[in-house]
Amino acid sequence: MPDLPTDTAPDRAFAVWLSTPNVAAAEIASQAGYGAVILDIEHGAFDLAALDRFVPFLRALGVEVLAKVLAPERGPIQQALDFGADAVVIPHVLGVEHAREVTAYAKFPPLGDRSFAGGRTTSYGGYDDPWVHRQDRGTRCLPMIEDARALEQAAEILALPTVDGVFVGPSDLSLRRGRGAYRRDDGDFADLARIADAAAAASKPWLFPAWSEEEQVFALEHGADQIALTMEFTALGDGLRSALAQARRLTAKEEARC
């Protein structure tokens, strides 16, 4: 079987957002050069059986797997890590004390309170202290900043030893800050800058879904570690609309010629 074609080497700085366990979409993204995949388990169509198959498939493609888990709870966080995700993105973190509780589920004692499970992450064998340390260092815990109090306490959240960085949820943050729908206005960018500055001060990364060129420029200028560039359904819709628009232009041109 021939190797899959590669358009460019995968770059972990750029991620695609998937809402379904779409094998073809993952392959296409990898071939195009995306080096990371964000699985929207919270809002997407993932069940545990699908994740058990899809996460190792993505890892085999050579892309980083960031699992935006179902809820800020022990079960979803631990399951994503046990499946082999490189990072857990934890939604709806309300503030530093909430972050202290839920991010602990991503790290083993004595650092945190993650429960041990054998299986994939131990190569279906035993474990030892070096394995625990590798897991704690190698798997990232990224609470989301999408609540007004979490924004106010971003520096304190980033200072937690169980936190490896933060992931911004700009739509929910705008709603919860009383600005209504996220419109990329001055208030939105002021909040983003505040988070970026807090991350820089803590020497920890921040991640951002930047769909527009304006957001992407901002993210690059403010040192975002990883940027989600497009969503699965957005990319599909753009491709379908582009093909149809081209066909309509050609049809109109042919009708005018006749």
Side-chain angles (χ1 to χ4, degrees):
M1 180 177 177
D3 292 336
L4 292 171
T6 301
D7 297 333
T8 186
D11 188 340
R12 69 168 296 279
F14 303 117
V16 61
W17 187 289
L18 297 183
S19 297
T20 69
N22 188 327
V23 168
E27 289 177 321
I28 293 167
S30 175
Q31 292 165 25
Y34 289 84
V37 173
I38 299 166
L39 305 181
D40 190 359
I41 302 168
E42 180 191 7
H43 296 295
F46 293 96
D47 59 26
L48 295 181
L51 288 169
D52 187 38
R53 295 188 296 268
F54 198 49
V55 171
F57 171 76
L58 293 169
R59 294 287 300 271
L61 287 178
V63 299
E64 290 188 8
V65 181
L66 290 77
K68 185 162 82 75
V69 300
L70 185 64
E73 298 170 357
R74 179 187 290 274
I77 293 168
Q78 293 183 167
Q79 285 168 336
L81 293 174
D82 290 341
F83 288 142
D86 295 288
V88 284
V89 178
I90 305 176
H92 307 299
V93 172
L94 302 178
V96 65
E97 290 308 317
H98 190 211
R100 191 188 312 277
E101 175 190 354
V102 300
T103 61
Y105 302 143
K107 305 291 182 181
F108 288 109
L111 178 58
D113 192 34
R114 178 181 171 186
S115 176
F116 172 75
R120 179 171 296 133
T121 58
T122 61
S123 299
Y124 301 96
Y127 80 111
D128 54 18
D129 289 337
W131 178 89
V132 172
H133 297 319
R134 287 195 302 272
Q135 279 284 298
D136 283 344
R137 289 195 306 271
T139 55
R140 292 174 291 154
C141 179
L142 306 168
M144 292 189 72
I145 305 297
E146 54 182 350
D147 183 87
R149 183 157 32 119
L151 175 66
E152 294 295 326
Q153 299 177 348
E156 291 90 337
I157 291 172
L158 281 155
L160 293 172
T162 50
V163 169
D164 299 299
V166 292
F167 193 105
V168 183
S171 295
D172 279 353
L173 185 59
S174 180
L175 290 168
R176 286 171 171 78
R177 292 272 283 163
R179 288 191 298 271
Y182 175 58
R183 294 185 293 273
R184 300 185 294 276
D185 62 18
D186 290 343
D188 293 318
F189 281 109
D191 285 352
L192 294 174
R194 186 172 176 179
I195 296 166
D197 290 346
S203 298
K204 292 182 179 180
W206 72 287
L207 294 78
F208 180 44
W211 313 134
S212 69
E213 182 175 345
E214 182 182 19
E215 291 165 301
Q216 291 163 16
V217 168
F218 178 92
L220 293 170
E221 290 179 346
H222 288 76
D225 181 61
Q226 288 178 302
I227 308 169
L229 300 180
T230 189
M231 302 175 74
E232 174 184 357
F233 298 140
T234 301
L236 177 60
D238 288 346
L240 291 171
R241 282 187 286 270
S242 176
L244 183 57
Q246 176 176 285
R248 285 173 170 164
R249 286 194 300 271
L250 294 174
T251 300
K253 183 177 180 181
E254 180 64 20
E255 290 173 348
R257 188 182 67 82
C258 295

